[in-house]
Amino acid sequence: MPQTGYPAAKTGPMIDGRCGNWNGAAMETISLHEDFGVEVRDVDLREGALDDLYPMIRQLFDRHSLLLFRDQTFTDTAHMALARLFGPVEDRQDRPEPKISPVTNLMDDGEVVSGARDHRLLNLQANFLWHTDSTFLPAPALANILVARVLPSRGGNTEFVSTRAGYQRLSEEDRVRLRGTYFRHRYAHSRAKIDPELAKGALFTKWQDQTWRAVWTNPETGAESLYIASHAFEVVGMEASAGLAWIDALLEAMTPARAVYSHAWRPGDVLIWDERATLHRGTPWPYEEPRKLDSLCVTARDVDGLDKVRPAA
């Protein structure tokens, strides 16, 4: 069982300071949680400014892992343009061009999904497990850029923890052990936790199992993070049940209540997070009410440290 310690909590948002300049003005950042995350103020993410703005966004991203921009007038074009500055945009549908992926209970005709056994609703509920996006793909995600479009009257928060801070709370013995550990990831594994029939869907059986090192080192900062997800089903070299038990214990160690930042969405919110250094999950809302968030995942590359988490040849 991982051994963890947690320092005394700090209360309330904190001014993190001003970091760099954009169009002659310093960016103000407000801490979201003692472990990680900042709200970036006085920044407009519309298309015209993005090329100049990106270097500072990337610096904040590597340092803080979770960025919040409020009150944005953020078009689909701007969404795609910002994602492409981070890297290649992920597409799980093999389309000629990647498209924005809605995270929603709305059907194509605009009606709300009905029926507790509807696979679209079950898939949304699988997102309530602590996870990192796309660990089951041959090249996993570096970042997700999520935009609020339609919000329910209550509920539907998105929650985050820092696996950088969580990794540092582990004992030295656990950290050393994890540096030599590899997890295997399978999309159907997380879906089977919600419904075995859901896990049989073509989308969830499309890719071969993927193996990644358990610790991802950020090449820009040198910071280590536990790289784990609800999709992790096996520890390489361990007996199956023991490996699953260790994965579950590590997920629990990463996600104590005090480590969680719970984001209550507002219209105009844009969240960007580092998939290498966080876990996240959705939370329920009244399912008869529509909710729509637009997501673009960016694929990690060797420059992001991907080559260092691949298994040795």
Side-chain angles (χ1 to χ4, degrees), residues 145-297:
I145 305 175
L146 197 58
V147 182
R149 295 302 187 194
V150 179
L151 299 174
S153 62
R154 65 186 187 278
N157 285 18
T158 303
E159 298 187 334
F160 298 86
V161 295
S162 168
T163 59
R164 179 185 300 171
Y167 178 74
Q168 290 303 318
R169 288 194 298 270
L170 296 174
S171 68
E172 176 63 19
E173 180 183 359
D174 282 331
R175 293 198 300 272
V176 170
R177 181 185 178 191
L178 283 162
R179 289 185 189 115
T181 294
Y182 289 86
F183 297 136
R184 290 176 62 77
H185 299 256
R186 178 185 297 158
Y187 203 0
H189 176 71
S190 60
R191 270 49 196 167
K193 294 178 180 181
I194 302 302
D195 185 276
E197 290 302 311
L198 176 67
K200 296 176 184 178
L203 179 62
F204 309 122
T205 57
K206 183 176 180 179
W207 295 281
Q208 294 182 345
D209 300 341
Q210 303 298 324
T211 303
W212 305 112
R213 187 181 292 276
V215 177
W216 195 313
T217 302
N218 185 311
E220 292 297 318
T221 66
E224 295 175 308
S225 302
L226 182 65
Y227 190 59
I228 197 168
S230 59
H231 315 302
F233 72 94
E234 182 179 297
V235 179
V236 174
M238 284 187 71
E239 187 273 329
S241 61
L244 279 173
W246 193 32
I247 289 169
D248 289 343
L250 286 165
L251 285 167
E252 184 177 354
M254 293 299 105
T255 58
R258 289 175 61 185
V260 176
Y261 168 68
S262 185
H263 184 68
W265 290 94
R266 298 190 334 208
D269 280 357
V270 177
L271 280 178
I272 307 173
W273 66 89
D274 188 342
E275 303 278 12
R276 305 167 298 178
T278 58
L279 286 164
H280 65 282
R281 67 179 180 183
T283 61
W285 71 93
Y287 296 131
E288 69 277 7
E289 297 184 21
R291 177 180 182 265
K292 182 174 183 282
L293 307 176
D294 279 348
S295 168
L296 280 175
C297 283

Side-chain angles (χ1 to χ4, degrees), residues 294-305:
D294 279 348
S295 168
L296 280 175
C297 283
V298 177
T299 300
R301 297 170 291 173
D302 287 352
V303 70
D304 306 308

Side-chain angles (χ1 to χ4, degrees), residues 37-111:
V38 291
E39 177 186 345
V40 185
R41 295 191 168 180
D42 304 320
V43 170
D44 188 334
L45 294 177
R46 284 179 290 189
E47 300 96 295
L50 289 178
D51 286 343
D52 292 337
L53 185 58
Y54 175 71
M56 187 55 58
I57 291 177
R58 183 58 192 248
Q59 182 182 28
L60 293 171
F61 171 85
D62 281 312
R63 178 181 174 190
H64 296 288
S65 304
L66 174 67
L67 307 181
L68 167 62
F69 301 85
R70 290 202 185 272
D71 303 318
Q72 299 296 313
T73 305
F74 202 58
T75 65
D76 289 351
T77 302
H79 193 176
M80 186 66 73
L82 178 55
R84 283 181 164 143
L85 290 172
F86 278 88
V89 176
E90 179 182 293
D91 179 20
R92 302 180 193 174
Q93 305 295 331
D94 301 319
R95 294 170 291 205
E97 288 290 331
K99 294 183 179 180
I100 290 168
S101 298
V103 183
T104 184
N105 63 335
L106 290 170
M107 297 185 291
D108 292 342
D109 61 5
E111 294 296 315

